[in-house]
Amino acid sequence: MSTDPDTLSATLSALADPTRRAILARLSQGSATVNELAEPFAMSLPAVSRHLKVLESAGLISRGREAQWRPCRLETAPLQQVDGWLGTYRRFWDGSFDRMEAYLQELTAPRAQGKKQ
Amino acid sequence: MSTDPDTLSATLSALADPTRRAILARLSQGSATVNELAEPFAMSLPAVSRHLKVLESAGLISRGREAQWRPCRLETAPLQQVDGWLGTYRRFWDGSFDRMEAYLQELTAPRAQGKKQ
């Protein structure tokens, strides 16, 4: 899995669309053909194909070799890269940040009180 | 925190840029002014301001009221929403998917074998 920031940008950009995220959600249930993917969206096949191209170039899906069906399959490596990137921010909401903030306030409080006096 | 898909799209779109992610990384260390943010990027203040506007409209940063300084501050609610969305895919790489796949293969194996005979 590449850690090139542009790979991450391409992934995030591809994910920044509700239809493309819905396609990934469908593929998380199993592989599907373009026709199967188009059905629930009441969308033209060319429109779905355009979304699939964006997902494919971001590495979020791969497509089968069979010329007629070319089933689409979810590829999770780019999502895992997003997950890794988010990891550095997770401390802000998993509780460890509150503890760190309390600690920092404790450290800086005496100086702030000194200024007021 | 809104669960509107367009909010999520706006967040992902704002994050799909290495400079904006670097600004967030800097702000995760503490609030900073536009000047402080511009420094490490060797970027013009207007260029940094444009990035800050994108981050602000996605709710990823907030800005102080003081006209001269307007320090920028990281807001993590949108990141938490991305984290929540990613959660449904985490089973693919946290090991639970392998177990599910093995279970599904077990379920479907007898039928597949039946067809072959």
Side-chain angles (χ1 to χ4, degrees):
Chain A
M1 187 167 57
S2 170
T3 52
D4 176 4
D6 290 328
T7 308
L8 185 52
S9 295
T11 302
L12 291 164
S13 179
L15 294 175
D17 180 279
T19 305
R20 288 199 288 270
R21 291 197 302 278
I23 289 173
L24 293 184
R26 165 63 187 82
L27 292 177
S28 73
Q29 311 295 316
S31 297
T33 63
V34 179
N35 280 314
E36 287 168 337
L37 289 172
E39 240 179 55
F41 298 112
M43 198 183 275
S44 72
L45 289 185
V48 172
S49 290
R50 275 195 295 277
H51 282 305
L52 294 179
K53 262 181 202 154
V54 176
L55 292 171
E56 194 177 11
S57 48
L60 285 158
I61 65 165
S62 60
R63 306 195 61 183
R65 293 262 174 182
E66 302 79 11
Q68 202 181 350
W69 300 106
R70 303 206 66 203
C72 300
R73 184 191 141 96
L74 178 69
E75 296 291 340
T76 60
L79 294 175
Q80 209 170 338
Q81 193 188 0
V82 175
D83 195 44
W85 174 80
L86 259 183
T88 61
Y89 295 93
R90 209 162 280 135
R91 62 189 168 94
F92 287 101
W93 58 84
D94 73 356
S96 63
F97 184 66
D98 293 339
R99 289 192 295 275
M100 192 183 76
E101 207 169 30
Y103 172 70
L104 286 175
Q105 272 177 356
E106 205 176 288
L107 278 184
T108 55
R111 208 177 56 174
Q113 281 170 359
K115 276 186 186 169
K116 275 183 196 162
Q117 282 166 355
Chain B
M1 189 166 54
S2 169
T3 52
D4 176 3
D6 289 329
T7 307
L8 185 52
S9 295
T11 302
L12 291 163
S13 179
L15 295 174
D17 180 279
T19 305
R20 288 199 288 272
R21 291 197 304 277
I23 289 173
L24 293 183
R26 165 63 187 83
L27 293 176
S28 73
Q29 310 295 317
S31 297
T33 63
V34 179
N35 280 314
E36 287 168 335
L37 289 172
E39 241 178 53
F41 298 113
M43 198 182 274
S44 72
L45 289 184
V48 172
S49 289
R50 276 195 295 277
H51 281 306
L52 293 179
K53 262 180 201 154
V54 176
L55 291 171
E56 194 178 10
S57 48
L60 284 158
I61 65 165
S62 61
R63 307 196 59 183
R65 293 264 175 181
E66 302 81 10
Q68 203 180 347
W69 301 107
R70 302 206 67 206
C72 301
R73 186 191 140 96
L74 178 70
E75 296 291 341
T76 60
L79 293 176
Q80 210 170 338
Q81 193 188 0
V82 175
D83 195 45
W85 174 79
L86 259 184
T88 60
Y89 295 92
R90 210 160 280 137
R91 62 188 168 93
F92 287 102
W93 59 84
D94 72 357
S96 62
F97 183 66
D98 293 338
R99 289 192 295 275
M100 192 184 76
E101 208 170 30
Y103 172 70
L104 286 175
Q105 272 178 355
E106 206 176 288
L107 278 183
T108 55
R111 208 176 56 174
Q113 281 171 359
K115 275 186 187 169
K116 277 182 196 162
Q117 282 166 352

